[in-house]
Amino acid sequence: MTVTLLTYTPQPEKTVACAAKLCYSASGVDQLYEGLTNEKASDFVQMLAEIGHESPIEHASFTFALEGVSRSLLAQITRHRLASFSVQSQRYVKESDFSFVTPPEIAADPAAHEVFLKSMERAVEDYNTLADLLQKRHEQSFLEAGLPEKEAKRKAEKKAIEDARFVLPNACATKMILTMNARSLLNFFQLRCCNRAQWEIKAVADEMLRQVCAVAPTLFAAAGPSCYHGSCSEGKMSCQKAAQVRAFYTMLHNRQTPEP
């Protein structure tokens, strides 16, 4: 798994502070922006967090590249609807020898791992068999319709892998670019940094949080699961490890390497 912060709103905290100050000032935008030092912007962003004025932080956005993550993670992360996603397509990219994500619990059990690897091998074989069978049939149809051989082959492959992909597992690796504004990210971190989040999306969320804290520390000063700066929101489903969770995210925010 690789998480990379590709780009973000320049001077995100200054942008947020300017947007917030505009709500209460008769001054022009240029005047407001020029009068904001980094220290003043940080103080203003902190005040916004204290009073719960969250809409101005939507003006700062962050774009990440995720690689080596599973299609299972894709199904979860796209539930965060206030975000933009561009995902590698299985309709256009042939998965003839796909890479896959192995859950740690499976990797730790030799017998389970063997079953898992055999399942991946069968999926590759079945995918390639289906793709070949369908491509031959589609290519013949396109040739009979009068298409040149090269074009018939290209269109047949695309049409074949569109259906062959149905045998691919959730473990199949994918890559994507996603963009969220800061307000959506805070919600994402609250839900997905929680100990009860699925292990893969939690790992992604933790790394995303680590990277945005490096460029906008005040904006994300309280970011993390609900118990980091408050009470657990999981009720009876709580992991009962609030102290350890707070210690973990305190180290992360201080740019130290936290214990997993």
Side-chain angles (χ1 to χ4, degrees), residues 1-5 64-74 76-77 99-104 171-176 178 188 192 198-211 248:
M1 181 189 73
T2 303
V3 179
T4 306
L5 177 59
F64 301 85
L66 306 185
E67 299 179 271
V69 294
S70 70
R71 301 290 292 195
S72 178
L73 178 131
L74 174 63
Q76 296 182 77
I77 203 166
S99 57
F100 52 86
V101 176
T102 305
C172 187
T174 189
K175 59 190 74 173
M176 71 187 80
L178 69 92
F188 176 75
R192 303 303 186 172
Q198 186 262 354
W199 65 268
E200 188 179 17
I201 199 168
K202 174 172 166 45
V204 167
D206 285 344
E207 182 56 23
M208 287 170 62
L209 175 56
R210 187 188 67 79
Q211 294 188 30
F248 177 93

Side-chain angles (χ1 to χ4, degrees), residues 40-62:
K40 287 181 180 179
S42 180
D43 289 343
F44 207 85
V45 168
Q46 186 174 356
M47 183 198 71
L48 292 176
E50 291 171 354
I51 64 176
H53 189 183
E54 296 183 338
S55 61
I57 69 176
E58 295 177 13
H59 294 290
S61 62
F62 300 79

Side-chain angles (χ1 to χ4, degrees), residues 218-235:
T218 305
L219 195 55
F220 295 100
S226 58
C227 64
Y228 176 51
H229 276 300
S231 58
C232 176
S233 61
E234 294 296 307

